[in-house]
Amino acid sequence: MNLHQRPDTLTACDREAIHHIAAIQSFGGLIAADAEGRTVHVSANLAEMLGLPALPPSGTPLAAIIAAPALAAITDALASLAGIDTPERRFGLDLTGTGQPFDCAVHMSCGLSVIEFEPHARNDFADHVSMIVPVIAKLENASSLTDLCDTAARLVRQMTGYDRVMVYRFHPDESGEVIAEDRDESLEPFKGLRYPAADIPQQARELFRRNRFRIIADMDAEAVPIIPALSAQEEQPLDLSMSMLRAHSRMHLAYMRNMGVGASLAIAIVRHDRLWGMISCHHRSARLPPYSLRTVAELLSQTFSLMLDRILVAKAEGLRERARQLNDRLLLRLAGGVTLADSLPMIEELLRGTILHDGISVFADGEYRASGEAPEEAEFRAIAPLLASTLGGATHASTRLADQIPEAATFAPRAAGALVLPLSRGTRDSLVLWRRPLTRVVTWAGDPAKAAAAPGQLLQPRASFAAWQETIRGHSADWSPEECEVAARLRRTLIEVILRMSEDLTRERARAAEQQDLLIAELNHRVRNILGLIRALVSQSQAEALSVPGFAAIIGGRIAALAAAHDNITAKNWGPASLAKLIEAELAPYCGSNRARFRIAGEDVLVTPEAYTILALVVHELATNSAKYGSLSARVGRVEVNLARTAFGDLALRWRESGGPPVTAPTRHGFGSTIITRSIPHDLQGEADVRYRLAGVEADFLIPARYLAAPDASRRRMPTPPPDPMRADRLPPDAPARVLVVEDSIIIALDTEENLKRLGVAEVRLESSVGGALSAIADDPPDFAIIDFNLGGESSEPIADALRVAGVRFVLATGYAEGAGQFERLGAEAVLRKPYGMTEIERLLVGA
């Protein structure tokens, strides 16, 4: 249930500058340095943490404090920053050259490089990193929001050892509710309790949206001051918005102690750049999980957000389908010219089961009709002139209409809540759904009135969090966002009928509805596909990284590139998105405020979703390599990107680097280089040419016109790597020796190929199109085949037919949840659900 915002929720807490607290927690140290590498701020415990003879004065060079190898790693981390709100982490750095390792996080704040560090958990680090893949796999199995939240609470508590872990969801009125909990049995349950909006001030919510991880190791520990508290030039405290060590306000510490909490950890859950909720951990005594373990927990929250989006999108898809069917039936029935007022019984019948309501009113062309618990005609005519002027011209939902229109109080005992659908601009015509008032009980965690201060008094934190019940009278049940969306669609349909839209517009609407259905189905498929991509990226990146910290940095950057691409195309309703915007987003973080370091020339193009994520990974790898080894690693280095259409309508993308250090060709061909050179040829059937010139890297790519316009069916053959004899004993002697893999995503294809080789398959052939697969079967039929059911714009049915004729066993891989009967019709022995890994492949091959 959503309650109206209380008028006193903007309290003293909302105005407290919690990011300018000028202190850190005692379990770590901090150094803030200027562009010349000289200290500007240090924490008072720096000498103690690093074993220095004395606290270094302001202006001390970093090289005088930090050993050269560690300083080089920190400098590299600063150069790799993807933005001001994205810290870089490095684990196990020997900061002083004495053999004592530290975990570090670096970020930029007001032009200063901020270095934070804490002791490294040497003995447990490898175990922490090994948790990543199993944790992701367990979250992937969640099929509902409840299951997802319960699983996340249980996994976080198992990993971190806190006494209580809660999943906390925000309501539209900004109050919060505990929707999942895993706790020590001796603690009282908090699940189901509500917390007022004032418990988390507005500026704290904004900080959580930017810096999604917060820890308090010991509520009773004294904070360590930052010296000096104010900068010498600007006389401002250091902005600690992105700090991992930031100390917390006395108000918040008192609040947590009042709850009996000795240590806490909170991870924000952000969806569509809005704070959806939090994973909150409480412990009765001081507790500090190692930084590497906290990093794994943060990755779990990012996976949680992806899974949350998948579940909510699937729910919205079902509702949109019901809304579309409702609209189609309304159009069909109202097309005969019957007035809207006379159509009330038919409208009510169609709405039944879609939007729950107790009554309905229609007012159109001066006629009034009503059914169920609704105002009398005189009562409605008294409010009709106020509906549009007071509530505006859009769909409006209220649990007590009398709060906005006092005249509605006359019938509020019968119909309190209203979902208003204005049917014409500036007139009284409208359709209104009504709900009876209810008496409801809300269970709060303590009295919410004690979350605010009396005028002129300092706000004090609540001392009681015992269940406190509030009785709400005179309000109806809430109108859910999904019901409001259905109502908005219904309103558009009714307006179309009223205006007697032309036949051309009606045909256009039908085409749009068909396209929407296809897009919804494709979105569900691609959300599951992205999970397969992430799983494959984790697997493939292990071989490329030279260290565990390197692995964390590489996989984090690649997942961030995929997430940014996903945001861009979903912002366009899964439609074509700007390539120039993608390139600028990848290059800008490495250039800071000096945008002259890169130039994008030529004409911007819109790229289809199936090509956009591929290009996002390619551009990300180019930008990362340039920042590490190429032109962007030098202060005067530049990158120029040129976009041009060829005479055949294809897109030519030219990448040129200059002004950097001398370039030599790499001695090893890692996964990042594979993404750059093979993704576009394999996934898009385009071209890629990378040249390592002494003056700078040059790269030319050709993206086929079908990813900018119409589809085509060209193909390109992929080479296969040698088998891995380490896993050759996993399969029985009669297992398939030659396997054909048909997959249009190179990352998934490479991961599947590597898994097959590790299992002992002698020969693996990769194809990305129907034409390539048919040629492979005709040239040399395999013993077994794994076929992606949806090959972009092509159907895999011709491949299935050819395999049946050749007597080859095969399975179909898919991200769709339905269609098992269709797969059996095609002759597949089994369905391989995406995302899949070595275990699933091995089970199929043993069975084959």
Side-chain angles (χ1 to χ4, degrees):
M1 180 188 70
N2 302 325
L3 305 178
H4 291 292
Q5 181 74 25
R6 295 175 177 272
D8 56 0
T9 53
L10 186 62
T11 67
C13 278
D14 292 293
R15 291 177 284 273
E16 186 179 5
I18 58 177
H19 58 304
H20 285 164
I21 205 161
I24 64 171
Q25 298 181 69
S26 60
F27 64 83
L30 178 145
I31 304 172
D34 59 19
E36 283 72 36
R38 298 172 302 190
T39 61
V40 178
H41 300 276
V42 298
S43 60
N45 64 349
L46 182 65
E48 177 185 355
M49 291 287 296
L50 296 182
L52 304 177
L55 195 67
S58 180
T60 301
L62 287 176
I65 303 172
I66 301 175
L71 185 57
I74 290 172
T75 303
D76 176 73
L78 288 167
S80 302
L81 288 173
I84 60 173
D85 286 357
T86 309
E88 279 284 325
R89 300 177 174 91
R90 294 294 184 269
F91 299 94
L93 295 184
D94 185 358
L95 294 180
T96 58
T98 59
Q100 181 182 1
F102 291 87
D103 293 336
C104 299
V106 299
H107 69 277
M108 299 298 297
S109 177
C110 301
L112 298 179
S113 302
V114 180
I115 306 165
E116 299 180 276
F117 56 89
E118 62 183 87
H120 173 68
R122 192 198 310 261
N123 296 331
D124 300 324
F125 183 76
D127 291 339
H128 297 163
V129 174
S130 67
M131 293 180 180
I132 295 175
V133 172
V135 162
I136 291 177
K138 290 179 181 178
L139 284 181
E140 287 175 357
N141 292 329
S143 58
S144 67
L145 179 60
T146 299
D147 187 21
L148 177 67
C149 294
D150 289 342
T151 301
R154 184 178 66 256
L155 289 176
V156 171
R157 183 159 181 255
Q158 288 173 354
M159 286 192 303
T160 61
Y162 281 88
D163 291 333
R164 185 197 306 272
V165 175
M166 299 169 287
V167 178
Y168 183 87
R169 180 178 184 176
F170 294 115
H171 292 287
D173 64 352
E174 296 190 343
S175 67
E177 180 180 356
V178 179
I179 60 173
E181 179 183 43
D182 194 83
R183 59 183 171 83
D184 186 284
E185 293 182 355
S186 64
L187 294 174
E188 62 175 315
F190 283 177
K191 185 175 181 180
L193 293 185
R194 290 280 288 269
Y195 291 77
D199 278 20
I200 304 179
Q202 293 301 315
Q203 89 282 16
R205 293 170 189 258
E206 174 59 19
L207 272 184
F208 266 123
R209 190 187 63 78
R210 295 177 57 203
N211 187 353
R212 302 179 184 180
F213 200 92
R214 183 193 73 188
I215 186 168
I216 304 178
D218 187 350
M219 298 293 170
D220 297 322
E222 289 294 328
V224 177
I226 292 176
I227 300 175
L230 302 179
S231 61
Q233 294 181 346
E234 301 177 2
E235 296 186 354
Q236 291 289 331
L238 181 63
D239 187 331
L240 296 176
S241 296
M242 302 308 299
S243 169
M244 69 170 180
L245 296 174
R246 174 172 54 86
H248 296 79
S249 71
R250 296 172 184 252
M251 184 73 64
H252 179 71
L253 295 175
Y255 176 95
M256 299 302 288
R257 285 194 290 264
N258 288 349
M259 292 184 71
V261 176
S264 70
L265 183 151
I267 310 171
I269 302 169
V270 177
R271 183 171 185 258
H272 299 166
D273 206 34
R274 294 175 61 88
L275 196 58
W276 183 90
M278 291 193 308
I279 299 175
S280 183
C281 310
H282 291 173
H283 204 66
R284 286 168 286 190
S285 59
R287 186 169 188 81
L288 177 62
Y291 191 35
S292 53
L293 182 58
R294 303 197 309 264
T295 300
V296 175
E298 188 174 6
L299 180 59
L300 179 145
S301 75
Q302 294 170 358
T303 305
F304 179 97
S305 296
L306 283 173
M307 297 300 301
L308 172 70
D309 198 57
R310 188 194 77 174
I311 290 171
L312 295 182
V313 165
K315 180 180 178 181
E317 286 174 9
L319 189 63
R320 290 191 188 100
E321 174 60 22
R322 292 197 300 273
R324 188 188 65 79
Q325 293 175 359
L326 171 64
N327 291 354
D328 289 347
R329 294 171 67 187
L330 272 174
L331 286 171
L332 182 63
R333 294 196 183 191
L334 293 174
V338 180
T339 66
L340 186 61
D342 290 338
S343 301
L344 178 62
M346 178 266 296
I347 294 174
E348 186 171 26
E349 176 190 346
L350 293 177
L351 282 174
R352 189 175 297 117
T354 303
I355 303 178
L356 298 178
H357 60 281
D358 300 311
I360 185 170
S361 297
V362 173
F363 190 79
D365 295 328
E367 291 187 77
Y368 178 73
R369 299 285 192 278
S371 175
E373 298 290 344
E376 301 291 340
E377 182 171 352
E379 294 172 328
F380 190 89
R381 288 184 180 275
I383 67 167
L386 303 173
L387 289 176
S389 61
T390 304
L391 306 180
T395 302
H396 178 84
S398 173
T399 59
R400 185 163 62 183
L401 185 61
D403 289 343
Q404 293 86 41
I405 302 177
E407 289 79 359
T410 58
F411 54 84
R414 304 190 312 275
L419 184 55
V420 183
L421 286 66
L423 298 180
S424 55
R425 190 181 299 274
T427 70
R428 305 177 181 182
D429 294 353
S430 60
L431 183 146
V432 184
L433 302 178
W434 304 99
R435 283 179 176 171
R436 300 186 189 95
L438 301 174
T439 299
R440 293 169 295 172
V441 176
V442 179
T443 303
W444 296 90
D447 184 354
K450 296 183 179 180
Q457 295 183 1
L458 180 66
L459 177 65
Q460 297 297 326
R462 289 183 290 132
S464 173
F465 296 85
W468 187 91
Q469 292 185 335
E470 179 182 12
T471 301
I472 308 296
R473 294 183 175 86
H475 287 266
S476 73
D478 294 308
W479 305 94
S480 70
E482 292 79 13
E483 290 173 330
C484 292
E485 182 178 348
V486 172
R489 288 170 173 263
L490 172 62
R491 173 176 175 264
R492 290 194 293 269
T493 300
L494 293 176
I495 289 175
E496 290 175 7
V497 173
I498 293 172
L499 297 177
R500 302 290 194 265
M501 296 185 69
S502 68
E503 183 179 352
D504 289 342
L505 287 178
T506 302
R507 284 199 299 267
E508 182 64 24
R509 184 176 58 253
R511 285 195 297 269
E514 181 181 357
Q515 182 183 17
Q516 182 186 49
D517 290 344
L518 292 173
L519 288 174
I520 288 173
E522 182 66 11
L523 177 60
N524 186 49
H525 170 68
R526 290 191 177 275
V527 167
R528 292 189 62 85
N529 234 15
I530 200 70
L531 294 174
L533 283 174
I534 292 175
R535 186 170 184 170
L537 281 174
V538 171
S539 175
Q540 292 292 318
S541 300
Q542 294 179 30
E544 183 180 3
L546 299 179
S547 65
V548 172
F551 171 73
I554 291 169
I555 192 62
R558 287 168 180 165
I559 292 178
L562 280 177
H566 189 266
D567 284 345
N568 284 342
I569 54 182
T570 52
K572 302 294 183 182
N573 294 323
W574 206 261
S578 165
L579 180 57
K581 181 178 178 181
L582 168 65
I583 297 171
E584 182 177 3
E586 285 294 337
L587 288 174
Y590 299 109
C591 301
S593 59
N594 186 9
R595 295 304 178 92
R597 296 192 64 194
F598 72 90
R599 177 172 176 263
I600 303 174
E603 181 181 356
D604 189 16
V605 294
L606 297 179
V607 180
T608 59
E610 55 266 36
Y612 200 84
T613 52
I614 300 301
L615 292 176
L617 284 174
V618 171
V619 174
H620 171 75
E621 295 300 329
L622 286 168
T624 300
N625 288 344
S626 179
K628 288 182 177 179
Y629 316 111
S631 61
L632 294 183
S633 67
R635 289 181 177 274
V636 297
R638 287 172 47 84
V639 171
E640 180 167 345
V641 182
N642 184 272
L643 305 175
R645 299 291 287 269
T646 69
F648 300 98
D650 300 331
L651 173 65
L653 189 156
R654 298 173 67 250
W655 175 283
R656 298 292 184 269
E657 297 184 24
S658 60
V663 174
T664 58
T667 57
R668 57 186 298 270
H669 200 67
F671 185 58
S673 299
T674 300
I675 290 177
I676 295 173
T677 58
R678 296 178 61 179
S679 293
I680 292 176
H682 182 277
D683 286 42
L684 308 181
Q685 292 77 54
E687 297 176 7
D689 182 20
V690 181
R691 301 174 297 280
Y692 297 91
R693 306 295 191 198
L694 186 64
V697 172
E698 297 180 1
D700 293 300
F701 304 95
L702 188 70
I703 294 90
R706 64 181 174 278
Y707 297 107
L708 317 171
D712 194 1
S714 61
R715 68 180 178 91
R716 188 170 291 270
R717 178 79 177 274
M718 285 292 297
T720 59
D724 180 1
M726 298 299 293
R727 301 297 297 268
D729 60 341
R730 293 292 295 270
L731 298 178
D734 59 346
R738 293 175 297 116
V739 175
L740 169 66
V741 177
V742 185
E743 169 61 61
D744 60 352
S745 167
I746 189 172
I747 296 176
I748 296 177
L750 288 173
D751 190 53
T752 304
E753 178 188 41
E754 181 175 335
N755 286 331
L756 287 167
K757 292 291 186 180
R758 288 181 176 178
L759 288 169
V761 175
E763 180 181 342
V764 180
R765 179 165 179 174
L766 301 182
E767 294 293 341
S768 63
S769 65
V770 171
L774 294 178
S775 296
I777 296 168
D779 294 344
D780 187 12
D783 302 325
F784 192 74
I786 300 175
I787 312 299
D788 185 6
F789 180 69
N790 189 338
L791 293 171
E794 298 181 293
S795 168
S796 58
E797 290 195 29
I799 305 174
D801 293 339
L803 291 170
R804 282 202 315 272
V805 172
V808 177
R809 297 174 175 176
F810 66 95
V811 297
L812 287 169
T814 178
Y816 292 101
E818 301 84 15
Q822 182 180 7
F823 299 149
E824 292 177 1
R825 178 182 60 80
L826 294 176
E829 289 197 345
V831 175
L832 191 57
R833 298 292 185 194
K834 290 183 177 180
Y836 58 86
M838 182 180 295
T839 301
E840 292 81 2
I841 295 173
E842 181 180 6
R843 188 181 302 118
L844 290 172
L845 292 180
V846 171

